[in-house]
Amino acid sequence: MNPQPSEPPAHAYEAEDAAAPPGTEGAPVGRRLVLSMLGLGAAAVVAAPVLQRAVSAGVEALAAKDPTGLTGLLPAGGGFRYYSVAASVQEKSAADYRLTVDGLVDRPASYTLDALAALPQTRTVRDVQCVTGWRVPETPFEGVRLSALLDAAGVRPGAKAVRFTCFDGTYTESLTLEQARRPDVMAALRMRDAPLSHAHGGPVRLYVAPMYFYKSAKWLSGITVTDSVRPGYWEELGYDVDAWVGRSNGRDDAPTV
């Protein structure tokens, strides 16, 4: 079994049940208290989406300015936490973002965010699965199929893999050419029906739906076609290179379908 380091991009949060105070077991509950609790419960249901968005936005704002990475320890709405292997990551606006495609290709390219958005978009709704065990269900991602970018570049004979680099200057990932051409692998521009935020790896991140989330590199800036698979950042530290959910890293999670 391979070691299981902590998941880099995100973590889920589960609150433990509060223990009952000593001596309260079986104590009668008044009608007024019951009605009050029901009212609070109903109010919580109504307010939950608003509160969730507020918490998520607040943690994202902290993460964007956190040089320590400690915001990765904070819970946030929607089941995600925000983490980076770099001390800080400069945000990229639509005006200064570029995604390059190069290596063993006939037509190297450089895409602006607007150019990527103008290409045909695909949408995938899958669970997001962390190698440490948590899962965020039914998460929509939208973007450009990686196969479309590879086809536009013209992959040369002898190419076998794709290497991904990120504008944090540290993180890397790789896929075989066959994996990269799957219809559920994309350069994602949107998540949960909104543009990708900086904390979630925006404006563009890699999304590899059938693999553990560490394969979905944040802050994507480079796609390089190569003649062999090169282990990525976390794979150098013990993760499996082929990271199929439920079939790697010593785990038996249900596939992300």
Side-chain angles (χ1 to χ4, degrees):
M1 180 182 296
N2 291 321
Q4 297 180 24
S6 298
E7 173 75 12
H11 288 278
Y13 175 75
E14 294 179 350
E16 296 182 357
D17 292 332
T24 61
E25 292 84 354
V29 178
R31 178 175 179 273
R32 180 176 300 175
L33 178 56
V34 170
L35 293 175
S36 297
M37 293 173 66
L38 289 173
L40 287 172
V45 170
V46 173
V50 175
L51 292 174
Q52 178 173 303
R53 287 194 296 269
V55 170
S56 183
V59 175
E60 286 189 26
L62 286 173
K65 299 179 180 180
D66 176 21
T68 68
L70 292 177
T71 45
L73 303 176
L74 297 175
F80 287 96
R81 291 185 182 182
Y82 311 106
Y83 184 76
S84 168
V85 298
S88 63
V89 183
Q90 184 69 37
E91 292 191 46
K92 295 279 189 181
S93 67
D96 57 20
Y97 177 78
R98 296 293 184 275
L99 175 62
T100 60
V101 183
D102 57 20
L104 298 177
V105 298
D106 293 325
R107 297 176 293 278
S110 178
Y111 292 90
T112 65
L113 187 59
D114 288 343
L116 288 171
L119 294 174
Q121 305 289 299
T122 187
R123 176 182 170 90
T124 298
V125 181
R126 300 278 187 90
D127 294 356
V128 169
Q129 177 70 52
C130 172
V131 75
T132 58
W134 60 264
R135 179 175 291 221
V136 180
E138 298 183 353
T139 304
F141 281 88
E142 298 171 63
V144 181
R145 282 181 177 167
L146 194 58
S147 60
L149 297 176
L150 295 174
D151 289 344
V155 175
R156 293 178 182 171
K160 295 181 179 178
V162 185
R163 180 170 174 82
F164 305 94
T165 51
C166 307
F167 65 77
D168 67 350
T170 303
Y171 205 82
T172 60
E173 256 306 337
S174 289
L175 294 170
T176 67
L177 195 56
E178 181 181 5
Q179 292 165 355
R181 288 189 177 281
R182 287 177 58 99
D184 51 7
V185 175
M186 71 178 77
L189 284 67
R190 296 172 62 83
M191 185 184 82
R192 288 177 168 169
D193 302 313
L196 269 171
S197 67
H198 175 70
H200 275 300
V204 180
R205 76 177 296 161
L206 181 66
Y207 179 56
V208 185
M211 293 190 178
Y212 287 104
F213 206 36
Y214 64 85
K215 299 295 290 190
S216 297
K218 293 167 126 181
W219 305 304
L220 183 64
S221 62
I223 298 170
T224 301
V225 179
T226 63
D227 59 2
S228 62
V229 172
R230 304 175 191 176
Y233 180 92
W234 283 105
E235 290 145 13
E236 295 280 4
L237 300 175
Y239 281 82
D240 282 355
V241 174
D242 291 320
W244 305 106
V245 172
R247 295 189 283 125
S248 65
N249 296 286
R251 299 192 59 85
D252 61 355
D253 305 288
T256 47
V257 297

